[in-house]
Amino acid sequence: MLILVRHGESEANAKGLLLGRTDASLTEKGRAQAASVRQLLRHPVGAVRSSPLSRARDTAVLLDLAPEIGIDERWVEVDYGEYECQPLKDVPADVWLQWRTDPGFRPEGGETLAEVDQRVAVACAELFAQDGMGARSGDADVVVVSHVTPIKAAVAWALGADAGLSWRLHLQTASVTRIGWNAGAPVLHGFNEVAPGR
């Protein structure tokens, strides 16, 4: 099983900022959220991968799993370009409309959602091939700690959907998404799970 964990709340999340590649630290609440994810991991973990950004790496450390954490750049958050660290409410309505309707929309200096989908699809396919998840579904899970946009892209990959799906999904901080493998194809087993009492 591929277990995708969104990082805990960061300082920029708490301020309502559009957070992409900026390396924001976890808040105390975010650290507690990250630690709470451990109880959602039900099977042995064979590998842990993380985005290079500290909010993801720190979440991976707080999961307190045995395998060494491997960094994979493909799981980094989308690059919001000129809108990076802007308050969500300050992004113009026409820009939101472009993002929602055109997966090829690129903010100045940024990245398209289609590009995120492509890099994440390659990463997912490699994980299932390299770690043999398709052949050994009962064996150890692979945990990837990432961000909202790449995790939504992985869900789109599993469902055979395009980047437009991401606008129809809500993903909480420190949540778990599960993707398995059945009859040669990925299968979504769970989405946006959070620890009880959070």
Side-chain angles (χ1 to χ4, degrees):
M1 187 81 63
L2 173 58
I3 309 294
L4 300 164
V5 178
R6 185 181 177 198
H7 61 79
E9 179 190 75
S10 71
E11 294 171 356
N13 296 139
K15 294 175 182 174
L17 304 179
L18 195 58
L19 182 63
R21 302 288 176 86
T22 300
D23 212 4
S25 300
L26 294 175
T27 62
E28 283 305 310
K29 177 182 176 182
R31 294 179 67 77
Q33 288 176 339
S36 76
V37 171
R38 181 73 177 88
Q39 64 189 291
L40 297 173
L41 306 179
R42 304 180 186 114
H43 299 286
V45 174
V48 180
R49 307 255 166 48
S50 175
S51 154
L53 298 176
S54 63
R55 60 190 183 271
R57 291 192 332 267
D58 291 347
T59 296
V61 168
L62 289 163
L63 292 178
D64 194 27
L65 302 171
E68 184 178 338
I69 300 165
I71 302 301
D72 189 335
E73 297 278 345
R74 294 172 298 186
W75 291 100
V76 73
E77 181 59 289
V78 66
D79 187 342
Y80 289 113
E82 65 182 315
Y83 298 105
E84 178 71 14
C85 283
Q86 295 293 314
L88 292 166
K89 61 182 180 53
D90 290 354
V91 177
D94 63 319
V95 171
W96 283 123
L97 181 61
Q98 283 184 285
W99 254 324
R100 290 176 193 272
T101 57
D102 179 8
F105 170 67
R106 181 189 309 280
E108 186 174 334
E111 181 180 25
T112 71
L113 292 180
E115 288 169 335
V116 177
D117 273 15
Q118 183 178 17
R119 65 176 157 87
V120 168
V122 171
C124 287
E126 283 182 13
L127 283 174
F128 276 91
Q130 290 173 1
D131 294 304
M133 287 189 248
R136 302 190 319 264
S137 59
D139 285 356
D141 293 335
V142 173
V143 173
V144 174
V145 183
S146 187
H147 310 270
V148 65
T149 309
I151 294 174
K152 288 179 178 182
V155 170
W157 171 79
L159 298 177
D162 63 24
L165 178 69
S166 67
W167 297 106
R168 297 176 177 267
L169 300 172
H170 173 74
L171 190 67
Q172 297 182 74
T173 51
S175 61
V176 167
T177 294
R178 303 173 197 273
I179 299 175
W181 197 260
N182 184 30
V187 177
L188 184 65
H189 283 252
F191 178 73
N192 200 33
E193 301 172 26
V194 295
R198 222 193 71 192

